[in-house]
Amino acid sequence: MNQRKAYLYAGVAILCWATVATAFKIALSTMSNIDLLFISTFSALIVLLGIVSFGKGIGRLRHVTTRQWGRAAFMGFLNPFLYYLILFKAYALLPAQIAQALNCIWPVLLVLLSIPILGQRIPFMSVLALLISFAGAVVVAFQGDFSGLSVKEPFGVFLAALTSVMWALYFILNMKSKLEEEVSLLLNFLFASVYITLLICFTGFQVPVLKGWLAGVYVGLFEMGITFVFWLKALNLARNTATIGSLIYLFPFLSLILIHYLLGEEIYTSTVFGLVLIITGILANQFIIRKSK
């Protein structure tokens, strides 16, 4: 029964994440990345407050130590504040399919960052698997055109790749957190809401049209808030977390369908091929690491 529930929660999370690239572009067509972050952060914060309150209670915050509050202040700056500020800018500059594909290389960077930060060693075969993923990222970045060896939107590509570095770094640093995941997320968004409010005080807030408001709230609910809770429940209920974890790589391909039909983007063959290479390398590396243990 628990395994069935795990697949159900994972399926809901994957379907939600498959929609967010489209929601990003819809929202960004009506507002800046800063305004979108303001709306989505507060939407996520309200949802997380509700989840924590109706779960084991908001009283859990009384047990958070001063050091954990300080840590949350830093983590909230890294993610969601800085991470999504850069990610939304990347989506504003790039076609959704390219920004999404480049953002998918974070597991590769997670492995590479684990070497200097956690002192981990990786097998030689893992290096080859990671090179496959990087080859896929290069194909996506160049959109399959290597004749002129030029990236069409280099700054956007740089930002999208940077978000993968930031997410991998956040993941590694978050491994040391002893807070419950829901409480940790709530504190991160609480501090992020302070940071984005301060930024808005300098940049000003341009009130978007209704479509922008709805898309921004949707991003806060289904990219930042509820979906992570569903995913964590799936992992907690699963008998085999590796099986559930591998399912997450379905969402980029489902997302391409929505990007094509809702945004009207022509899906490049290079994007699909690059995504296949990226995910093949990631899954191969996960298999090699599990086999070497």
Side-chain angles (χ1 to χ4, degrees):
M1 181 61 73
N2 281 350
Q3 188 68 12
R4 187 179 301 174
K5 287 183 179 179
Y7 280 117
L8 176 62
Y9 282 122
V12 171
I14 289 166
L15 288 175
C16 289
W17 276 324
T19 66
V20 294
T22 299
F24 289 166
K25 293 295 284 188
I26 291 173
L28 289 165
S29 68
T30 68
M31 69 182 93
S32 71
N33 61 319
I34 297 174
D35 292 342
L36 174 55
L37 182 60
F38 181 77
I39 294 172
S40 57
T41 297
F42 275 95
S43 300
L45 178 62
I46 292 169
V47 170
L48 290 169
L49 273 170
I51 290 171
V52 172
S53 298
F54 288 107
K56 296 179 182 178
I58 201 72
R60 284 180 283 175
L61 295 182
R62 291 197 299 268
H63 303 293
V64 179
T65 65
T66 303
R67 185 174 182 178
Q68 288 171 329
W69 278 102
R71 180 182 177 81
F74 170 74
M75 295 297 282
F77 179 81
L78 180 62
N79 180 39
F81 175 70
L82 193 58
Y83 170 77
Y84 280 107
L85 193 65
I86 295 173
L87 181 66
F88 292 158
K89 185 63 177 180
Y91 268 88
L93 295 172
L94 296 170
Q97 58 184 294
I98 294 177
Q100 176 186 255
L102 292 174
N103 187 241
C104 284
I105 66 172
W106 72 266
V108 178
L109 296 166
L110 175 63
V111 175
L112 294 179
L113 288 174
S114 296
I115 299 171
I117 296 176
L118 300 178
Q120 294 182 354
R121 295 182 178 181
I122 60 173
F124 175 73
M125 292 303 294
S126 286
V127 175
L128 295 181
L130 297 181
L131 288 175
I132 293 173
S133 292
F134 273 120
V138 170
V139 170
V140 171
F142 283 89
Q143 297 181 27
D145 182 10
F146 299 100
S147 57
L149 289 180
S150 62
V151 178
K152 294 183 180 179
E153 183 53 68
F155 186 55
V157 168
F158 168 75
L159 292 179
L162 180 60
T163 61
S164 288
V165 177
M166 294 178 66
W167 184 262
L169 181 61
Y170 170 80
F171 191 93
I172 291 173
L173 295 177
N174 204 46
M175 289 169 61
K176 299 179 181 179
S177 175
K178 296 181 180 179
L179 287 173
E180 294 176 75
E181 192 67 37
E182 292 172 0
V183 174
S184 179
L185 279 173
L186 173 61
L187 294 183
N188 288 356
F189 275 91
L190 181 62
F191 280 105
S193 67
V194 175
Y195 301 140
I196 186 59
T197 300
L198 292 174
L199 183 58
I200 284 289
C201 288
F202 286 98
T203 63
F205 179 71
Q206 184 70 40
V207 179
V209 297
L210 179 60
K211 181 176 73 171
W213 274 107
L214 293 176
V217 171
Y218 185 92
V219 169
L221 296 181
F222 297 107
E223 158 68 6
M224 300 175 172
I226 296 173
T227 312
F228 277 111
V229 177
F230 281 142
W231 185 251
L232 290 171
K233 283 186 177 293
L235 294 177
N236 289 333
L237 289 170
R239 288 194 301 269
N240 187 340
T241 56
T243 302
I244 292 293
S246 298
L247 293 176
I248 198 171
Y249 298 111
L250 291 174
F251 94 82
F253 297 101
L254 295 175
S255 183
L256 289 180
I257 298 172
L258 296 178
I259 288 170
H260 175 67
Y261 286 104
L262 296 183
L263 297 180
E265 283 189 16
E266 177 189 352
I267 303 301
Y268 309 132
T269 303
S270 59
T271 301
V272 178
F273 181 60
L275 262 177
V276 169
L277 287 176
I278 290 169
I279 293 170
T280 297
I282 292 169
L283 293 176
N285 180 61
Q286 290 177 350
F287 175 77
I288 291 165
I289 290 175
R290 286 199 301 270
K291 193 174 179 181
S292 63
K293 289 182 178 179

